[in-house]
Amino acid sequence: MANSAEDEYWGEKIPRLIGYGNDRLNLRSVKLVADGALGSWGAAMIEPYSDNSDTRGLEVTAKKVLWDFIVRFHQDDWQVNVHCIGDRANRDVLDAFESVLASNDSTTLTRSYRHRIEHAQIMTQEDLKRTGRLGIIASVQPTHATSDMSYAEDRLGPKRIKGAYAWQTLKKNGAPLALGSDFPVEGIDPLLGFYAAITRLDLEGHSPHGDGGWFPEQRLSREEALHGMTLGAAYAAYQEEIIGSLTPGKRADIVILDKDIMRVQPSDILLTKVKATIVDGRLVYGRI
C-alpha cells in the first residue's frame, strides 16, 4: 500500500498496479494515519486517559484532512486503510467510511473497496457493531494485546477496556478479520501472533488476569486465528482467489512446520520450527 506525509491529495501521483509481476506485486490501496499509539498516550480518545487526565491523545492527521482523503481516495477507487488506535480515531474514521458507503448499497461497495481499519484497537461498543455492519475489515495484530496488557487497563479504565483488542466481539458482529504482525513494531514471526491470538498470554504463559488469558472471552480459536492469518489476510489484499488456502487452482504457497500447531499444547507453538517453505510450488527453503 502507498503512503505519503503530504496534506494535499496525492492519489494521482502513484501508479495503480494490479497483478503486476505474475500477481506478486499489487498497489491498489493507500494507508492513512489517524492517531498515535497507546503506549505514549498518543491514541486519540473520546474521553481523557484514566491514568493521565490532561490528554485525550493526538490527531496525527487533522480530522477534516483525513475525511477529505478518505472521500477522494474512495471516489478514485483506492482501497483505504487507516491506522486507528483510540476510540475517537476509530469513531471518526468509521463516520467517514459510513458516509462514503451511504450513497449506494454498502455490501456491494465493501466487496469492491474493502476498506480497512489498521489495528482497530480500542472502540466503543457501538462502533464494534458498526464495523461489522459496514463490513469494514478489522486488520489486527494479536501481539499488540499481549504487549499492552500490563498497562492498558490502567490507561483506559474498566469500561473502555471492554472495547479494546476485542477480536471475538468484532468477529461476532460480522467484521472480517485479517491478522498480521505489525513488524517492525512487533516480532515478525507469525507463530508469535498465532500464539497470542489463541491464548492472550505472554511468552511465559502469564497475563494480568491469570494463566487463562487476558480477557479470555476475546481469544480466537485456532481455526479462527489460522483463517485470519491466511484466507482473511488474502481477502484483505484482494487475493483470496489466488492464495490464502490450499485449494486446487491456487498458488502452492506452503509452509511446513515440525509440529501441528492446531493440536499441540500452546506453549509448544513457540518451539515450532519451519522445516520447509514452498513458493508457487517451488521449494525455496529447507527440505521435504
Side-chain angles (χ1 to χ4, degrees), residues 15 33 38 45 50 119 125 148 169 175 223 243 248 254 280 283:
V33 180
L38 183 65
M45 304 301 299
S50 297
H119 313 309
Q125 295 300 318
D148 297 352
T169 303
E223 291 75 14
I243 59 174
I254 302 167
D280 203 7
L283 183 68

Side-chain angles (χ1 to χ4, degrees), residues 4-15:
S4 173
E6 295 182 32
D7 284 340
E8 299 294 329
Y9 181 71
W10 42 270
E12 74 282 352
K13 299 180 181 180
I14 53 177

Side-chain angles (χ1 to χ4, degrees), residues 54-73:
D54 292 333
T55 184
R56 295 192 300 134
L58 304 171
E59 287 184 355
V60 172
T61 304
K63 182 178 178 179
K64 184 181 185 306
V65 173
L66 187 64
W67 186 292
D68 290 345
F69 274 161
I70 291 172
V71 170
R72 185 69 183 277
F73 278 115

Side-chain angles (χ1 to χ4, degrees), residues 232-260:
Y235 173 81
Y238 297 89
Q239 292 190 301
E240 74 276 11
E241 300 298 328
I242 303 170
I243 59 174
S245 63
L246 300 181
T247 304
K250 289 189 180 183
R251 279 218 169 93
D253 289 355
I254 302 167
V255 173
I256 300 173
L257 306 175
D258 68 350
K259 293 179 177 62
D260 183 353

Side-chain angles (χ1 to χ4, degrees), residues 60-270:
V60 172
T61 304
K63 182 178 178 179
K64 184 181 185 306
V65 173
L66 187 64
W67 186 292
D68 290 345
F69 274 161
I70 291 172
V71 170
R72 185 69 183 277
F73 278 115
H74 173 86
Q75 291 173 340
D76 287 352
D77 296 332
W78 291 95
Q79 179 193 36
V80 182
N81 312 269
V82 189
H83 163 113
C84 298
I85 301 290
D87 56 7
R88 176 160 51 105
N90 278 288
R91 181 193 62 185
D92 290 348
V93 168
L94 284 170
D95 285 347
F97 282 154
E98 188 165 26
S99 176
V100 298
L101 293 171
S103 58
N104 297 96
D105 177 68
S106 62
T107 302
T108 301
L109 281 170
T110 298
R111 290 197 192 103
S112 173
Y113 292 92
R114 302 189 188 182
H115 298 322
R116 292 159 51 176
I117 290 184
E118 296 298 322
H119 313 309
Q121 201 159 303
I122 306 157
M123 291 188 180
T124 64
Q125 295 300 318
E126 176 185 346
D127 283 339
L128 288 166
K129 295 175 183 176
R130 185 160 56 140
T131 303
R133 177 168 55 81
L134 295 175
I136 302 300
I137 297 168
S139 175
V140 302
Q141 298 73 36
T143 55
H144 281 181
T146 51
S147 294
D148 297 352
M149 62 185 178
S150 64
Y151 66 85
E153 264 183 279
D154 290 338
R155 191 139 303 175
L156 299 175
K159 182 178 179 180
R160 287 186 294 193
I161 196 65
K162 297 292 187 181
Y165 318 91
W167 313 321
Q168 274 296 346
T169 303
L170 282 163
K171 183 178 182 301
K172 289 174 181 176
N173 281 319
L177 292 183
L179 273 59
S181 69
D182 204 30
F183 177 81
V185 175
E186 300 280 352
I188 196 172
D189 185 351
L191 292 176
L192 296 175
F194 186 81
Y195 169 83
I198 70 169
T199 67
R200 294 173 72 104
L201 297 170
D202 65 20
L203 299 183
E204 286 71 46
H206 306 304
S207 84
H209 291 177
D211 296 348
W214 188 54
F215 293 102
E217 68 276 8
Q218 296 295 345
R219 291 178 302 187
L220 298 176
S221 70
R222 297 189 196 217
E223 291 75 14
E224 289 167 341
L226 183 64
H227 182 278
M229 298 177 76
T230 55
L231 198 54
Y235 173 81
Y238 297 89
Q239 292 190 301
E240 74 276 11
E241 300 298 328
I242 303 170
I243 59 174
S245 63
L246 300 181
T247 304
K250 289 189 180 183
R251 279 218 169 93
D253 289 355
I254 302 167
V255 173
I256 300 173
L257 306 175
D258 68 350
K259 293 179 177 62
D260 183 353
I261 62 172
M262 306 302 286
R263 296 180 181 274
V264 298
Q265 291 296 315
S267 58
D268 287 337
I269 293 170
L270 301 174

Side-chain angles (χ1 to χ4, degrees), residues 19-39:
Y20 189 81
N22 195 27
D23 272 322
R24 286 296 175 193
L25 177 61
N26 292 280
L27 182 57
R28 62 189 303 173
S29 67
V30 298
K31 183 177 181 181
L32 308 175
V33 180
D35 64 345
L38 183 65

